[in-house]
Amino acid sequence: LGHDALSSENGIPSAALGPFAATGGAVVLGGGEASGALYPPEPSAITESIFSCEEAARAAYSEAQLTPSDIDWWGLYDCFPICFVRAVEAVGLAPRSRGGAWVETMHGMSADGTYRPSALPVNTHGGLLAFGAPWEVPAMYNIIEACEQITGTAAQRQVEGVRRALVYGNGGIFSHSAVAILAKPVD
């Protein structure tokens, strides 16, 4: 039985089950979690090794047997600018210490008013700057947007041809990270 067998009696997605089920939904290809210290160390002890996002991303890529070039859309937790920059580096959009330059380049590409979601397939839902950070829920918005991108239901935010999406969230002060890679089902 494929994943769609749960959607209807004959295994075909049914519109009667709702718009998401009718699209065939999304599947999880891989995931990773990592934890560091619950509280940040003294400022002099803050080094690259305290950040858990790289470890979580490596685990998700390994489980999914994918690399950053296989991802079509990115949902990155952006509660503070540094969190977004660190996420850009951790998931492989930019090399370590080059995340800020990547953000500047992408901003320049979109600053002329001709932004298209397919040109910058990251946080097309606006991220936390667009909807705030309600307690315990913010990373879920990335999952919802990833599913809409994968199923082609993201309306004007739609990135063309999304097959796979990576979502990332963190808790504490970089102390816990979770990454999931979602995909369009193939059966």
Side-chain angles (χ1 to χ4, degrees):
L1 292 176
H3 75 284
D4 291 334
L6 301 176
S7 298
S8 65
E9 287 183 19
N10 60 4
I12 298 172
S14 169
L17 295 173
F20 186 68
T23 66
V27 296
V28 177
L29 296 181
E33 291 185 87
S35 292
L38 180 57
Y39 299 102
E42 295 295 321
S44 62
I46 296 176
T47 67
E48 292 292 325
S49 65
I50 72 162
F51 299 104
S52 58
C53 43
E54 284 90 350
E55 185 178 344
R58 276 192 307 271
Y61 283 129
S62 177
E63 184 172 20
Q65 291 295 288
L66 297 173
T67 65
S69 65
D70 296 313
I71 305 300
D72 303 308
W73 184 86
W74 312 79
L76 305 179
Y77 194 68
D78 59 351
C79 55
F80 294 99
I82 187 60
C83 292
F84 182 72
V85 170
R86 292 290 302 152
V88 162
E89 296 172 0
V91 302
L93 286 170
R96 185 177 281 180
S97 80
R98 300 297 305 152
W102 183 90
V103 169
E104 287 181 15
T105 299
M106 294 300 113
H107 179 267
M109 288 174 48
S110 64
D112 66 0
T114 60
Y115 167 78
R116 291 176 300 106
S118 294
L120 180 58
V122 178
N123 290 4
T124 49
H125 55 329
L128 295 177
L129 291 175
F131 48 75
W135 190 254
E136 298 298 328
V137 178
M140 192 64 196
Y141 289 116
N142 287 341
I143 294 170
I144 292 167
E145 180 72 5
C147 290
E148 289 182 350
Q149 289 291 335
I150 288 167
T151 60
T153 59
Q156 73 275 9
R157 302 179 320 278
Q158 187 65 50
V159 173
E160 296 175 28
V162 174
R163 299 161 300 140
R164 297 180 201 102
L166 181 145
V167 294
Y168 160 71
N170 73 40
I173 302 174
F174 296 110
S175 61
H176 185 80
S177 295
V179 173
I181 298 175
L182 309 175
K184 185 176 290 198
V186 295
D187 66 344

